[in-house]
Amino acid sequence: MEETARRLALDLGGELKDEQFSVMTQQTLEHCRQRIREYERKQLAKQPVH
């Protein structure tokens, strides 16, 4: 998904921005990935054990 967003931004002459409208850096992207992993971990913890 990141590659598609970057390609679209490049093709359209724009920039990728985060939720605060700051330019998306590699560090910002890694932070987003960490937030996604944390969310997934919390969702898995909520699932009942069979």
Coordinates of all heavy atoms in Angstrom, one line a residue:
M1 N 0.8 -1.2 0.0 CA 0.0 0.0 0.0 C 0.9 1.3 0.0 O 0.5 2.2 -0.7 CB -0.9 0.0 1.2 CG -2.0 1.0 1.1 SD -3.4 0.6 2.2 CE -3.0 1.5 3.6
E2 N 2.0 1.2 0.8 CA 2.9 2.3 0.8 C 3.4 2.6 -0.6 O 3.4 3.8 -1.0 CB 4.0 2.1 1.7 CG 5.1 3.1 1.7 CD 6.5 2.7 2.2 OE1 6.6 1.5 2.7 OE2 7.4 3.4 2.0
E3 N 3.8 1.6 -1.3 CA 4.4 1.8 -2.7 C 3.4 2.4 -3.6 O 3.7 3.3 -4.4 CB 4.9 0.5 -3.2 CG 5.5 0.6 -4.6 CD 6.7 1.5 -4.7 OE1 7.4 1.6 -3.7 OE2 6.8 2.2 -5.8
T4 N 2.1 2.0 -3.5 CA 1.1 2.5 -4.4 C 0.8 4.0 -4.0 O 0.7 4.9 -4.9 CB -0.3 1.8 -4.2 OG1 0.0 0.4 -4.5 CG2 -1.4 2.3 -5.0
A5 N 0.8 4.4 -2.8 CA 0.6 5.8 -2.4 C 1.8 6.6 -2.8 O 1.6 7.7 -3.3 CB 0.5 5.8 -0.8
R6 N 3.0 6.1 -2.7 CA 4.2 6.9 -3.1 C 4.1 7.1 -4.7 O 4.4 8.2 -5.2 CB 5.4 6.2 -2.7 CG 5.7 6.3 -1.3 CD 7.2 5.9 -0.9 NE 7.4 5.9 0.5 CZ 7.6 7.0 1.2 NH1 7.6 8.1 0.7 NH2 7.7 6.9 2.5
R7 N 3.8 6.0 -5.4 CA 3.7 6.1 -6.8 C 2.6 7.2 -7.3 O 2.9 7.9 -8.2 CB 3.4 4.8 -7.4 CG 3.5 4.8 -9.0 CD 3.6 3.4 -9.4 NE 4.8 2.7 -8.9 CZ 5.8 2.2 -9.5 NH1 5.7 2.1 -10.8 NH2 6.8 1.6 -8.9
L8 N 1.5 7.1 -6.6 CA 0.4 8.1 -6.9 C 0.9 9.5 -6.7 O 0.7 10.4 -7.5 CB -0.8 7.8 -6.1 CG -1.8 6.7 -6.7 CD1 -2.8 6.4 -5.6 CD2 -2.4 7.1 -8.0
A9 N 1.5 9.7 -5.5 CA 2.0 11.0 -5.2 C 3.0 11.5 -6.2 O 2.9 12.7 -6.7 CB 2.6 11.0 -3.8
L10 N 3.9 10.6 -6.6 CA 4.9 11.0 -7.6 C 4.2 11.3 -9.0 O 4.5 12.3 -9.6 CB 5.9 9.8 -7.8 CG 7.0 10.1 -8.8 CD1 7.9 11.2 -8.3 CD2 7.9 8.8 -8.9
D11 N 3.3 10.4 -9.4 CA 2.7 10.6 -10.7 C 1.8 11.9 -10.7 O 1.7 12.6 -11.8 CB 1.7 9.4 -11.0 CG 2.5 8.2 -11.4 OD1 3.8 8.3 -11.6 OD2 1.9 7.1 -11.4
L12 N 1.3 12.3 -9.6 CA 0.4 13.5 -9.5 C 1.2 14.7 -9.1 O 0.6 15.8 -9.0 CB -0.8 13.2 -8.5 CG -1.7 12.1 -9.0 CD1 -2.7 11.8 -7.9 CD2 -2.4 12.4 -10.3
G13 N 2.5 14.6 -8.8 CA 3.3 15.7 -8.4 C 3.0 16.2 -7.0 O 3.1 17.4 -6.7
G14 N 2.6 15.3 -6.2 CA 2.2 15.6 -4.8 C 3.2 15.0 -3.8 O 4.3 14.5 -4.2
E15 N 2.8 15.1 -2.5 CA 3.6 14.5 -1.4 C 2.7 13.6 -0.6 O 1.6 13.9 -0.4 CB 4.2 15.6 -0.6 CG 5.1 16.5 -1.2 CD 5.6 17.6 -0.3 OE1 4.8 18.3 0.3 OE2 6.8 17.7 -0.2
L16 N 3.3 12.6 0.0 CA 2.6 11.8 1.1 C 2.6 12.6 2.3 O 3.6 13.1 2.7 CB 3.2 10.5 1.3 CG 3.1 9.4 0.2 CD1 3.7 8.1 0.6 CD2 1.6 9.2 -0.2
K17 N 1.5 12.7 3.0 CA 1.4 13.4 4.3 C 0.8 12.5 5.3 O 0.0 11.6 5.0 CB 0.5 14.6 4.1 CG 0.9 15.6 3.0 CD 1.9 16.6 3.5 CE 2.2 17.6 2.4 NZ 2.6 18.9 2.9
D18 N 1.1 12.8 6.6 CA 0.6 12.0 7.7 C -0.7 12.7 8.2 O -1.2 13.6 7.6 CB 1.6 11.8 8.8 CG 2.0 13.1 9.5 OD1 1.3 14.2 9.3 OD2 3.0 13.1 10.3
E19 N -1.3 12.2 9.3 CA -2.6 12.7 9.7 C -2.5 14.1 10.3 O -3.5 14.8 10.4 CB -3.2 11.8 10.8 CG -2.3 11.6 12.0 CD -1.4 10.4 12.0 OE1 -1.1 9.9 10.9 OE2 -0.8 10.0 13.0
Q20 N -1.2 14.6 10.5 CA -1.1 16.0 10.9 C -0.6 16.9 9.7 O -0.2 18.0 9.8 CB 0.0 16.2 12.0 CG -0.5 15.8 13.4 CD -0.5 14.3 13.7 OE1 0.4 13.6 13.2 NE2 -1.5 13.9 14.4
F21 N -0.7 16.3 8.5 CA -0.4 17.0 7.2 C 1.1 17.3 7.1 O 1.5 18.2 6.4 CB -1.2 18.2 7.0 CG -2.7 17.9 7.0 CD1 -3.5 18.2 8.1 CD2 -3.3 17.3 5.9 CE1 -4.8 17.9 8.1 CE2 -4.6 16.9 5.9 CZ -5.4 17.3 7.0
S22 N 2.0 16.6 7.9 CA 3.4 16.7 7.7 C 3.9 15.7 6.7 O 3.2 14.6 6.5 CB 4.1 16.4 9.1 OG 3.7 17.3 10.1
V23 N 5.0 16.0 6.0 CA 5.5 15.1 5.0 C 5.8 13.8 5.6 O 6.4 13.7 6.7 CB 6.7 15.7 4.3 CG1 7.4 14.8 3.3 CG2 6.4 17.0 3.6
M24 N 5.4 12.7 5.0 CA 5.6 11.3 5.4 C 7.1 11.0 5.2 O 7.6 10.9 4.1 CB 4.7 10.4 4.7 CG 4.8 8.9 5.2 SD 3.9 8.7 6.7 CE 2.3 8.5 6.2
T25 N 7.8 10.8 6.3 CA 9.2 10.3 6.3 C 9.3 8.8 6.6 O 8.3 8.2 7.0 CB 10.0 11.1 7.3 OG1 9.6 10.7 8.6 CG2 10.0 12.6 7.1
Q26 N 10.5 8.3 6.4 CA 10.7 6.9 6.7 C 10.4 6.6 8.2 O 9.8 5.6 8.6 CB 12.1 6.5 6.4 CG 12.3 5.1 6.0 CD 11.3 4.5 5.0 OE1 11.0 5.0 4.0 NE2 10.8 3.3 5.4
Q27 N 10.8 7.6 9.1 CA 10.5 7.5 10.5 C 9.0 7.5 10.8 O 8.5 6.8 11.6 CB 11.2 8.6 11.2 CG 11.1 8.6 12.7 CD 11.8 9.7 13.4 OE1 12.4 10.5 12.8 NE2 11.8 9.7 14.8
T28 N 8.3 8.4 10.1 CA 6.8 8.5 10.3 C 6.2 7.2 9.9 O 5.3 6.7 10.6 CB 6.3 9.7 9.5 OG1 7.0 10.8 9.8 CG2 4.8 9.9 9.8
L29 N 6.7 6.7 8.8 CA 6.1 5.4 8.3 C 6.4 4.3 9.3 O 5.5 3.5 9.5 CB 6.7 5.1 6.9 CG 6.2 3.9 6.2 CD1 4.7 4.1 5.9 CD2 6.9 3.7 4.9
E30 N 7.5 4.2 9.8 CA 7.8 3.2 10.8 C 6.9 3.3 12.1 O 6.5 2.3 12.6 CB 9.3 3.2 11.2 CG 9.7 2.1 12.1 CD 9.4 0.7 11.6 OE1 9.5 0.4 10.4 OE2 9.0 -0.2 12.4
H31 N 6.7 4.6 12.5 CA 5.8 4.8 13.6 C 4.4 4.3 13.3 O 3.8 3.7 14.2 CB 5.8 6.3 13.9 CG 4.9 6.7 15.1 ND1 5.2 6.3 16.4 CD2 3.7 7.3 15.1 CE1 4.2 6.7 17.1 NE2 3.3 7.3 16.4
C32 N 3.9 4.5 12.1 CA 2.6 4.0 11.7 C 2.6 2.5 11.7 O 1.6 1.9 12.2 CB 2.3 4.5 10.3 SG 1.9 6.3 10.2
R33 N 3.6 1.9 11.2 CA 3.7 0.4 11.3 C 3.6 -0.1 12.7 O 3.0 -1.1 13.0 CB 5.0 -0.1 10.6 CG 4.9 0.1 9.1 CD 6.2 -0.4 8.5 NE 6.1 -0.3 7.0 CZ 7.1 0.2 6.3 NH1 8.2 0.6 6.8 NH2 7.0 0.2 5.0
Q34 N 4.3 0.6 13.6 CA 4.3 0.2 15.0 C 2.9 0.3 15.6 O 2.5 -0.5 16.4 CB 5.3 1.0 15.8 CG 6.8 0.6 15.5 CD 7.7 1.6 16.2 OE1 7.3 2.5 16.9 NE2 9.0 1.3 16.0
R35 N 2.2 1.4 15.3 CA 0.9 1.6 15.7 C -0.1 0.5 15.2 O -0.9 0.0 16.0 CB 0.4 3.0 15.3 CG 1.0 4.1 16.1 CD 0.7 5.5 15.7 NE -0.7 5.7 15.3 CZ -1.0 6.6 14.4 NH1 -0.2 7.4 13.9 NH2 -2.3 6.7 14.0
I36 N 0.1 0.1 14.0 CA -0.7 -1.0 13.4 C -0.4 -2.3 14.1 O -1.3 -3.0 14.5 CB -0.4 -1.1 11.9 CG1 -1.0 0.1 11.2 CG2 -1.0 -2.4 11.4 CD1 -0.5 0.2 9.7
R37 N 0.8 -2.6 14.4 CA 1.2 -3.8 15.1 C 0.6 -3.9 16.5 O 0.1 -4.9 17.0 CB 2.7 -4.0 15.1 CG 3.3 -4.5 13.8 CD 4.8 -4.9 14.0 NE 5.6 -3.8 14.3 CZ 6.3 -3.1 13.3 NH1 6.1 -3.3 12.1 NH2 7.1 -2.1 13.7
E38 N 0.7 -2.7 17.2 CA 0.1 -2.6 18.5 C -1.4 -2.8 18.5 O -2.0 -3.5 19.3 CB 0.4 -1.2 19.1 CG -0.1 -1.0 20.5 CD 0.5 -2.0 21.6 OE1 1.6 -2.6 21.3 OE2 -0.1 -2.1 22.7
Y39 N -2.1 -2.2 17.5 CA -3.5 -2.4 17.4 C -3.9 -3.9 17.1 O -4.8 -4.4 17.8 CB -4.0 -1.5 16.2 CG -5.5 -1.8 15.9 CD1 -6.5 -1.1 16.6 CD2 -5.9 -2.6 14.9 CE1 -7.8 -1.4 16.4 CE2 -7.2 -2.9 14.6 CZ -8.2 -2.2 15.3 OH -9.5 -2.5 15.1
E40 N -3.1 -4.5 16.2 CA -3.4 -5.9 15.9 C -3.1 -6.8 17.2 O -3.9 -7.7 17.5 CB -2.5 -6.4 14.8 CG -2.9 -5.8 13.5 CD -1.9 -6.2 12.4 OE1 -0.7 -6.5 12.7 OE2 -2.3 -6.1 11.2
R41 N -2.1 -6.5 17.9 CA -1.8 -7.2 19.1 C -3.0 -7.1 20.1 O -3.4 -8.1 20.7 CB -0.5 -6.7 19.8 CG -0.1 -7.5 21.0 CD 1.1 -6.9 21.7 NE 0.7 -5.6 22.3 CZ 0.0 -5.5 23.4 NH1 -0.5 -6.5 24.1 NH2 -0.2 -4.3 23.9
K42 N -3.5 -5.9 20.3 CA -4.6 -5.7 21.2 C -5.9 -6.4 20.8 O -6.6 -6.9 21.6 CB -4.9 -4.2 21.4 CG -3.9 -3.5 22.2 CD -4.2 -2.0 22.3 CE -3.1 -1.3 23.1 NZ -3.4 0.2 23.2
Q43 N -6.1 -6.4 19.4 CA -7.3 -7.1 18.9 C -7.2 -8.6 19.2 O -8.1 -9.3 19.5 CB -7.4 -6.8 17.4 CG -7.8 -5.4 17.1 CD -9.0 -4.9 17.8 OE1 -10.1 -5.5 17.7 NE2 -8.9 -3.9 18.6
L44 N -6.0 -9.2 19.0 CA -5.8 -10.6 19.2 C -5.9 -10.9 20.7 O -6.5 -12.0 21.0 CB -4.4 -11.0 18.8 CG -4.2 -11.2 17.3 CD1 -2.7 -11.4 16.9 CD2 -5.0 -12.3 16.7
A45 N -5.5 -10.0 21.6 CA -5.7 -10.3 23.0 C -7.1 -10.3 23.4 O -7.5 -10.9 24.4 CB -4.9 -9.2 23.8
K46 N -8.0 -9.6 22.7 CA -9.4 -9.5 23.0 C -10.2 -10.8 22.6 O -11.2 -11.1 23.1 CB -10.1 -8.3 22.3 CG -9.7 -7.0 22.8 CD -10.5 -5.9 22.1 CE -10.1 -4.6 22.6 NZ -10.8 -3.5 21.8
Q47 N -9.6 -11.6 21.7 CA -10.3 -12.7 21.2 C -10.3 -13.8 22.3 O -9.3 -14.1 22.9 CB -9.6 -13.3 19.9 CG -9.7 -12.4 18.8 CD -9.0 -12.9 17.5 OE1 -8.4 -14.0 17.6 NE2 -9.1 -12.2 16.4
P48 N -11.5 -14.4 22.4 CA -11.6 -15.5 23.4 C -10.8 -16.8 23.0 O -10.7 -17.0 21.8 CB -13.1 -15.8 23.4 CG -13.7 -15.3 22.2 CD -12.7 -14.2 21.7
V49 N -10.3 -17.4 23.9 CA -9.5 -18.7 23.7 C -10.5 -19.8 23.6 O -11.4 -20.0 24.4 CB -8.4 -18.9 24.8 CG1 -7.7 -20.2 24.5 CG2 -7.5 -17.7 24.8
H50 N -10.4 -20.7 22.6 CA -11.3 -21.8 22.4 C -10.7 -23.1 23.1 O -9.6 -23.4 23.1 CB -11.6 -22.1 21.0 CG -12.3 -21.0 20.3 ND1 -13.6 -20.9 20.4 CD2 -11.9 -19.9 19.6 CE1 -14.0 -19.8 19.7 NE2 -12.9 -19.2 19.2

